[in-house]
Amino acid sequence: MDAGGLYGGAGLRLRRLHAGAEGLGTLKDPVRIRAALPEDVAAVSTLLIETWHDTYDALLGSDKVDEITQLWHAPAVLLQQLKQPRISFLVAETAGQIVGHAFASAWNLPALEIARLYVRPDRQRQGIGNRFLDALIALYPRADKLSLSVEKFNFRAVAFYLHHGFVIHDEAVEDGAAILFLEKTLPQREP
Ligand SMILES: CC(C)(COP(=O)(O)OP(=O)(O)OC[C@H]1O[C@@H](n2cnc3c(N)ncnc32)[C@H](O)[C@@H]1OP(=O)(O)O)[C@@H](O)C(=O)NCCC(=O)NCCS
């Protein structure tokens, strides 16, 4: 069975994002949200490394961030993730530049897990995070819940998620970091 059948049509909708048939941008906002291509992974890696330093250096220290992000966000690692089934690997592109990235897993549908949501520091607070959430929700009409974890002291991200109606349902300490587990219930939609 094709991914579209298995995952509530997400495969087909992703292909339309590739083709630009469902471009989510407007003339006023030239940022386009689309499915990533293999040739995007180097730019996504650069974006993640830059945004991780901007976000986490004050919390974890620059050396630790280097260590983590070089490991987790190497282009070869991202390429493997891009090829996985039941995922959405999206980018925000403007003027040929990748300025944001979202990665979500549909393995536990109807709960959709957002594993990464990153907007380049100079493009934050311009609605790109909103657009990623809208795109992910649109890709998975069967999803009834969004879930994710966030560093407790990453106040920008926590503010963003609370603004979007996420609620904190649990808290833990993992590898010395305080982590919040957030969820947002989605309204029932027609597939
Ligand atoms: C968190 C993040 C993805 C949000 O994306 P964004 O494009 O900057 O957010 P948006 O512009 O769509 O913001 C939507 C709303 O969320 C809230 N919000 C976003 N950033 C905020 C901040 N820094 N402080 C307070 N509220 C914020 C606001 O209500 C905002 O609406 P407004 O600008 O009209 O007031 C982005 O800031 C980011 O990449 N941060 C660093 C990486 C990170 O922490 N990712 C999450 C890891 S779990």
Side-chain angles (χ1 to χ4, degrees), residues 55 117-119 124-130 154 156 159-160 163:
T55 308
L117 184 57
Y118 286 87
V119 176
Q124 289 174 12
R125 214 64 196 265
Q126 296 170 27
I128 297 173
N130 284 349
N154 180 358
R156 286 181 288 186
F160 171 79
H163 168 80

Side-chain angles (χ1 to χ4, degrees), residues 94-160:
T94 184
Q97 286 201 326
I98 303 293
V99 295
H101 163 57
F103 183 74
S105 162
W107 280 93
N108 293 319
L109 276 183
L112 182 66
E113 186 190 353
I114 299 177
R116 284 197 297 264
L117 184 57
Y118 286 87
V119 176
R120 207 172 70 189
D122 65 331
R123 298 305 302 252
Q124 289 174 12
R125 214 64 196 265
Q126 296 170 27
I128 297 173
N130 284 349
R131 298 262 308 275
F132 273 128
L133 283 189
D134 288 347
L136 289 170
I137 292 168
L139 281 168
Y140 297 96
R142 279 183 51 218
D144 65 6
K145 185 168 76 173
L146 299 178
S147 66
L148 57 89
S149 60
V150 60
E151 225 279 348
K152 183 176 182 174
F153 301 105
N154 180 358
F155 296 121
R156 286 181 288 186
V158 173
F160 171 79

